[in-house]
Amino acid sequence: MSQQLSIVIPTFNESQNVRELLLRIEAALGATGWEVIFVDDDSPDGTSSVVRDIARGDTRVRCIQRIGRRGLSSACIEGMLASSAPVIAVMDADLQHDETILPAMLASIEQKGADLVIGTRYAPGGGMDNWNESRKTMSRFATVTSRMILSQPVSDPMSGFFMLRREVFDLTVRNLSGLGFKILLDILATAKHESLQPLKIVEVPYHFRNRVAGESKLDEMVVWEYAMLLADKTIGRYVPVRFLAFSIIGGVGVLIHMVVLTTMLKGLAFGFTAAQSAATAVAMIFNFVLNNILTYRDRRLTGLKWFRGLISFMIACSIGALSNVGIATYLFRNQTQWVLAALAGVLVGAVWNYAVTQLYTWGSGGKKRLQPKKPPDKPV
Ligand code: GDD
Ligand code: MN
């Protein structure tokens, strides 16, 4: 039987769930016609090893292990790119998505000509167990705001359980944001601009189960990640959202700078140079910490790399500050209005800081780490 369906499953610390999930998928779909691709972000609980253990005895199963990266959406995209069946499904590893609707989803595509099938909690027959009020409210809020970037109404655009024809993915993949948790929303919002309209969408209700083993990875930061996705899908064509985030944080950094400076100068009677230096250092550390948590959430530095990152960030931003002052002074001396000269300096400094730290603080460090320590043995 030829392959009909590729199932992409993002994992982070799901070692206790993968075996059971595969048994259930086989029970739902039968023994052949499908493959499963796990995309694991180097889970500390060894999920990748568990998957590879299974894969050694089962060619339907594969593992993509990503190192130094995090992110549900980008993991799904990479899994889909590595798949080969004409239909692709995405589902969670934690058994919360009801695998028994997979055959109905597949039939909607193969027999009823759907382009995209969404497992939905918000249609008759669907639902979820006791979610607390705040999570329910958040989910509803996200569902409502998502309408901004969607052209076709769907009941559960936040769903992480869906299936699509490979062509839909092929035609959207180059324009996906890949930011945050909401890969379906990303696909829906991107398909809006492509030659895919109208998409034939079918919804299949299911009951979202409670998690038994492991824990949810969604934290307070989902709100931020969601905002980044919305921003990217609206103004992202004009300004990179990471630059936007970087600049907003930089703006807050200036306020912090002024507070520290004023406190030290007026409150604690330090000299100007000492106060200005301390304020600069505090603002830089603040900027680094926030950018590491927010702007570069998917490449977050920890441990020793965090310190190395901080040093490179401070060096880069010091050079940025020098060029800012240099350019502003040059323009000012050449008859530019002082406000314009200052703004030009700030802009050049910001772009420099962004470009250089993207490359050196949150960028190529990761790549270097992946190089083998010693050259590989010569082939014999
Ligand atoms: N590779 C990778 N990288 N996988 C991840 C990451 C990550 O950074 N974060 C989470 N995952 C995996 C989890 O291991 C799980 O298989 C799946 O993605 C969903 O993560 P959960 O942490 O279990 O999410 P949830 O149950 O709170 O959220 C679910 O409901 C949402 C609907 O409100 C998910 O199904 C979401 O996709 C869905 O949007
Ligand atoms: Mn879950």
Side-chain angles (χ1 to χ4, degrees), residues 164-297:
L164 74 177
R165 283 184 196 283
R166 171 164 299 280
E167 301 89 80
V168 178
F169 176 67
D170 287 345
L171 284 171
T172 47
V173 59
R174 286 182 175 74
N175 295 321
L176 294 176
S177 290
L179 298 167
F181 268 75
K182 298 304 168 194
I183 178 64
L184 172 64
L185 183 61
D186 198 352
I187 292 174
L188 286 168
T190 307
K192 185 171 147 181
H193 304 292
E194 316 293 329
S195 53
L196 288 161
Q197 290 299 325
L199 268 188
K200 188 162 182 225
I201 299 176
V202 168
E203 299 188 318
V204 179
Y206 79 100
H207 188 85
F208 189 84
R209 301 185 193 116
N210 278 341
R211 194 188 250 278
V212 180
E215 53 193 41
S216 171
K217 280 91 216 171
L218 255 76
D219 52 22
E220 319 73 57
M221 285 305 162
V222 290
V223 179
W224 168 263
E225 296 198 343
Y226 181 64
M228 293 266 278
L229 176 62
L230 287 187
D232 191 44
K233 284 293 164 212
T234 44
I235 48 175
R237 260 168 292 162
Y238 313 108
V239 204
V241 276
R242 281 194 214 266
F243 181 63
L244 209 65
F246 192 88
S247 307
I248 293 171
I249 293 168
V252 181
V254 172
L255 291 180
I256 303 265
H257 182 113
M258 297 318 283
V259 170
V260 174
L261 181 68
T262 323
T263 315
M264 289 183 73
L265 265 184
K266 307 284 176 210
L268 305 169
F270 275 89
F272 182 79
T273 309
Q276 173 73 354
S277 311
T280 306
V282 170
M284 278 186 188
I285 295 171
F286 167 87
N287 272 328
F288 172 73
V289 170
L290 246 68
N291 278 308
N292 194 47
I293 296 174
L294 298 173
T295 316
Y296 293 105
R297 189 161 176 71

Side-chain angles (χ1 to χ4, degrees), residues 8 37 39 64 66 69 73-83 169:
V8 173
I37 298 160
V39 189
I64 297 176
R66 306 196 304 169
R69 309 264 308 279
S73 282
S74 62
C76 293
I77 293 170
E78 280 163 49
M80 292 194 254
L81 284 169
S83 70
F169 176 67

Side-chain angles (χ1 to χ4, degrees), residues 9-14 39-41 66 69-72 75 91-94 96-97 121 131 135 139 156 158-161 181-182 206 208 211 215-218:
I9 305 178
T11 58
F12 193 75
N13 288 344
E14 305 287 0
V39 189
D40 182 60
D41 285 349
R66 306 196 304 169
R69 309 264 308 279
R70 276 300 299 272
L72 184 43
M91 73 186 291
D92 292 354
D94 55 7
Q96 291 191 272
H97 290 163
R121 298 163 290 172
W131 263 22
R135 181 144 188 203
S139 181
D156 195 357
M158 300 300 134
S159 177
F161 189 20
F181 268 75
K182 298 304 168 194
Y206 79 100
F208 189 84
R211 194 188 250 278
E215 53 193 41
S216 171
K217 280 91 216 171
L218 255 76

